[in-house]
Amino acid sequence: MADLADLAGVSKITVSRALADSPLVTPETRERIQQLARDHGYKLNVSARNLRLRRSHTVAVIVEMKPSSDRTMLDPYPLTLLGGIAQELTAAGYSVLLTTRQGAAAAAVQAADGLILLGQGVRQDAVRRFDKLGLPMVVWGAHSDEDAHAVVGSDNRMGGRLVAEHFLRQGRRHPVFVGNPSHPEIFERLNGFVDTLTAHGVKPLLLRRDEFTLASGIDAVHSLATRKVPFDALFACSDLLAMGAIRAVQELGRKVPDDVSVVGYDDMPMAAAFQPALSSVRQDWQAGGSLLAQKMLALIRGDEVASQVLPVSLVVRAT
């Protein structure tokens, strides 16, 4: 930079400002210095700049879920969310550091300017764990009045309510909810489902399952059959659980939706292609990812941010 200053006949601070496109330097001087830099192969030392500014221009994104062969990182959650996040952050000049819960102790994560957490964990254990990093944090999940961080998520309670109203219109009297309410989002879906049904004199059954997979959905229905529990409707907290449940219902010789109505959650692309086409509660993952990134950039700038809830809709298909 000193060499460029000598060549241009200006100070080093003027060179620094010109290379940073500062409005404090006239356009003519800025262009002349930048052309000299190009002619002499000068490149900004990004690491040195970040060290000086105490900024990494990196945002860490931690996916709380544990990937498995049945539930991969290629699913809409988290892939579509990540697409919205990456689009916003890269447009703002930030790099995205993606990792899972197991890799969050890496030095690069701790050096990030902020953290986006996808998933609150069981009883918000993931939120408490990553709060200890001391980074600005935005969380995807279910909002509560006790949150210390901005939370972006869908209206899970409304999602449960929509499914309950759908079952009531069909005259179902023995509905089952399948999922793990220890997760805040699932807890909200269950509450919306139960409250709506109870108001109409229908008491649903909770069938707790920790894994949101096809195999878990199959196992859930077979456990109902083994115990001879009557059921004519099933609300699964994920589409994969719902698809497994449908397979098991068919294996038992019952028809969907004639004998058992089934609704999933997320409306992943596979839901429409599944046979029979799966009814599901739709979340806008793309908008959610964009909002998470926008709120993170605001926090990095020092602005105050608030939690935000996105609307959901019930997509009724063949189940």
Side-chain angles (χ1 to χ4, degrees), residues 14 18 22-32:
T14 300
S22 170
L24 297 175
V25 181
T26 63
E28 296 79 11
T29 301
R30 194 161 61 233
E31 175 55 34
R32 183 163 59 88

Side-chain angles (χ1 to χ4, degrees), residues 8-290:
V10 298
S11 66
K12 284 200 297 181
I13 188 63
T14 300
V15 171
S16 176
R17 288 170 174 168
L19 295 177
D21 286 322
S22 170
L24 297 175
V25 181
T26 63
E28 296 79 11
T29 301
R30 194 161 61 233
E31 175 55 34
R32 183 163 59 88
I33 293 173
Q34 290 179 358
Q35 185 59 53
L36 278 170
R38 287 191 292 269
D39 293 343
H40 290 79
Y42 177 89
K43 293 181 179 179
L44 180 67
N45 187 327
V46 176
S47 297
R49 179 200 64 185
N50 291 343
L51 183 62
R52 183 177 72 254
L53 297 176
R54 296 191 178 183
R55 288 278 179 85
S56 67
H57 278 80
T58 298
V59 172
V61 180
I62 299 178
V63 182
E64 196 277 331
M65 68 177 275
K66 182 179 180 181
S68 67
S69 58
D70 289 331
R71 190 173 184 234
T72 70
M73 296 275 278
L74 298 177
D75 289 340
Y77 176 81
L79 193 60
T80 309
L81 269 174
L82 290 170
I85 291 169
Q87 184 171 328
E88 292 286 338
L89 291 180
T90 54
Y94 279 77
S95 298
V96 179
L97 175 61
L98 174 63
T99 186
T100 61
R101 186 169 183 161
Q102 291 73 24
V109 174
Q110 299 183 39
D113 294 336
L115 169 64
I116 296 175
L117 175 60
L118 303 185
Q120 295 157 297
V122 175
R123 299 180 185 87
Q124 299 218 28
D125 66 319
V127 175
R128 289 191 294 272
R129 175 180 178 180
F130 298 122
D131 186 45
K132 295 177 182 177
L133 294 177
L135 296 172
M137 185 165 70
V138 182
V139 181
W140 172 265
H143 169 67
S144 75
D145 295 335
E146 300 175 357
D147 289 323
H149 304 282
V151 177
V152 175
S154 296
D155 193 341
N156 292 282
R157 183 177 287 269
M158 176 57 72
R161 176 182 173 182
L162 290 173
V163 177
E165 291 173 345
H166 175 65
F167 288 161
L168 289 168
R169 285 192 297 269
Q170 294 181 317
R172 308 292 176 170
R173 304 300 296 177
H174 303 286
V176 175
F177 180 94
V178 183
N180 181 355
S182 295
H183 293 271
E185 291 174 278
I186 311 304
F187 181 74
E188 288 296 310
R189 293 171 200 174
L190 175 62
N191 279 347
F193 187 64
V194 171
D195 289 349
T196 305
L197 290 171
T198 302
H200 290 80
V202 177
K203 186 177 180 180
L205 172 70
L206 168 62
L207 194 58
R208 185 187 181 101
R209 285 296 182 275
D210 295 336
E211 299 294 329
F212 305 157
T213 62
L214 283 166
S216 185
I218 292 171
D219 176 74
V221 169
H222 281 300
S223 73
L224 291 171
T226 299
R227 290 182 289 155
K228 294 182 169 52
V229 176
F231 66 101
D232 57 7
L234 188 144
F235 176 27
C237 68
S238 81
D239 284 344
L240 287 176
L241 268 173
M243 292 174 190
I246 291 170
R247 289 288 173 260
V249 168
Q250 293 171 335
E251 289 170 2
L252 294 172
R254 303 180 71 186
K255 295 180 179 180
V256 176
D258 295 350
D259 300 319
V260 181
S261 179
V262 179
V263 176
Y265 211 99
D266 295 338
D267 193 32
M268 59 194 299
M270 192 188 307
F274 190 76
Q275 291 298 321
L278 177 65
S279 299
S280 183
V281 178
R282 176 179 293 167
Q283 303 189 77
D284 192 340
W285 300 111
Q286 182 75 24
S290 296

